[in-house]
Amino acid sequence: VLVSKLLEWLATPFRHGICRVYVGVRLLRKWKASGVDVDGHILSFLTHAGVSKKLDMGNVYHAISELVRSQTFSVGRYLQWLMAKGVTNRQSHDPLSVTEASGDLGLIAQLPIGRLPEHVANLRKTLMVRTGFSVSDEDEMVANIKVLISQRLPSLFRSTMLLDTSLSSLPSDLTWAVKAEIALWLRRGVAEHTRASASPLRAMLPGEGGQLVSALTSEEFYTVRDVLETIGDISMLADVLRVASSSDNSTVLASVADTTNSHFDSLSVIGATMDLFRKLVD
């Protein structure tokens, strides 16, 4: 009952703000560590959620995607559960959209695959095809968004900047499988975008001479922040803020401070604020 009420709370239309998703995730992780069968209770909730309640399932899927990232939710168990229920044996051959699917079946199209073992990721794709979801559409969407972002950030992603895409902006109906893949790729690009510090003050600090710092310009930082805020991935934004806080560009540092203040509640729940505070003070 407690798990069900928590998921209802973070998905109800009568509440506002993304912070509650991260509050829910943190509680679910603590309960899982205490021995509660969180996976089983989440699956039980999903069985009934799509039928009986008017909830923002996007928030529920967001919370589960965060649990998958931290390996707190067992994707393998979920896929076995789907097969045992027989929901993957659809009679209709018509394509199935995420909005049409029930809560328990819709989750399969939302799962981040970045940290899944290869055999689990392959099983997910197989079951998606059997249930009517399009795996090729998912892969194509990820590729198109990467090209779109690469064109805005040519210094971070040189290899794909000359390709073309039909997208002019980020779609509003992306699944968390796509969002998580894009956010992970974006964070990796930011982390690898470094240069030697040109700051004479930094060179005077013990052990700081010649240290690599973030090469993000203020415009690049704004673009990255905009993408992550648009898709609602504050945990990946926290990682980007950590990287950007090593910058010796005063405008970037001011923007990191401003962004930390803007998302203070969510970043506090994630546990990122104290580390960011120390880095900014340094």
Side-chain angles (χ1 to χ4, degrees):
V1 172
L2 191 58
V3 171
S4 177
K5 291 302 178 185
L6 175 66
L7 294 172
E8 278 187 35
W9 173 75
L10 62 85
T12 176
F14 303 108
R15 303 271 178 191
H16 177 73
I18 198 173
C19 177
R20 57 191 165 130
V21 172
Y22 293 99
V23 171
V25 169
R26 187 153 188 177
L27 286 171
L28 291 169
R29 284 174 180 159
K30 284 182 175 293
W31 294 341
K32 180 69 174 280
S34 300
V36 177
D37 182 16
V38 167
D39 292 5
H41 297 314
I42 289 176
L43 296 179
S44 176
F45 172 84
L46 289 174
T47 302
H48 305 99
V51 177
S52 60
K53 298 179 178 66
K54 295 290 186 181
L55 298 174
D56 181 0
M57 292 304 294
N59 278 2
V60 176
Y61 294 143
H62 184 180
I64 296 174
S65 73
E66 291 289 343
L67 296 176
V68 172
R69 276 177 174 169
S70 62
Q71 300 181 319
T72 310
F73 180 84
S74 173
V75 175
R77 178 181 173 183
Y78 162 67
L79 297 177
Q80 291 173 345
W81 178 77
L82 274 186
M83 290 188 290
K85 288 184 66 177
V87 295
T88 56
N89 299 319
R90 283 182 79 231
Q91 300 302 316
S92 172
H93 296 290
D94 296 332
L96 182 66
S97 72
V98 176
T99 54
E100 296 173 346
S102 58
D104 52 356
L105 186 57
L107 177 60
I108 195 172
Q110 303 281 349
L111 295 170
I113 60 174
R115 297 190 62 183
L116 294 183
E118 185 178 356
H119 68 281
V120 176
N122 290 337
L123 177 59
R124 172 186 174 266
K125 285 190 174 182
T126 300
L127 294 182
M128 282 185 68
V129 172
R130 288 174 58 182
T131 52
F133 290 112
S134 175
V135 176
S136 60
D137 285 354
E138 180 179 278
D139 293 340
E140 183 180 354
M141 180 59 71
V142 170
N144 283 334
I145 293 175
K146 285 183 177 180
V147 173
L148 175 68
I149 295 174
S150 297
Q151 291 171 345
R152 298 178 183 176
L153 298 167
S155 297
L156 273 72
F157 305 108
R158 298 181 184 87
S159 59
T160 55
M161 60 184 259
L162 298 177
L163 299 178
D164 194 17
T165 177
S166 58
L167 294 178
S168 58
S169 61
L170 286 175
S172 60
D173 58 347
L174 297 176
T175 64
W176 271 100
V178 173
K179 290 179 180 179
E181 183 70 17
I182 293 301
L184 186 64
W185 169 78
L186 194 54
R187 183 190 69 173
R188 190 181 305 119
V190 169
E192 294 172 354
H193 189 47
T194 59
R195 59 173 171 76
S197 174
S199 169
L201 290 175
R202 187 180 290 272
M204 293 169 62
L205 295 173
E208 295 285 320
Q211 180 184 2
L212 292 177
V213 299
S214 173
L216 283 175
T217 64
S218 56
E219 290 76 14
E220 288 168 344
F221 176 80
Y222 301 149
T223 299
V224 172
R225 180 180 64 184
D226 179 60
V227 171
L228 293 175
E229 287 180 337
T230 299
I231 65 180
D233 199 333
I234 306 302
S235 59
M236 284 297 175
L237 178 60
D239 288 348
V240 167
L241 292 175
R242 288 192 191 97
V243 174
S245 63
S246 73
S247 175
D248 55 13
N249 182 315
S250 59
T251 305
V252 171
L253 291 175
S255 300
V256 171
D258 176 63
T259 307
T260 302
N261 180 62
S262 178
H263 296 286
F264 184 80
D265 289 343
S266 295
L267 293 171
S268 295
V269 173
I270 293 169
T273 46
M274 285 306 296
D275 184 42
L276 286 170
F277 177 71
R278 293 191 187 98
K279 287 180 178 294
L280 287 168
V281 169
D282 289 343

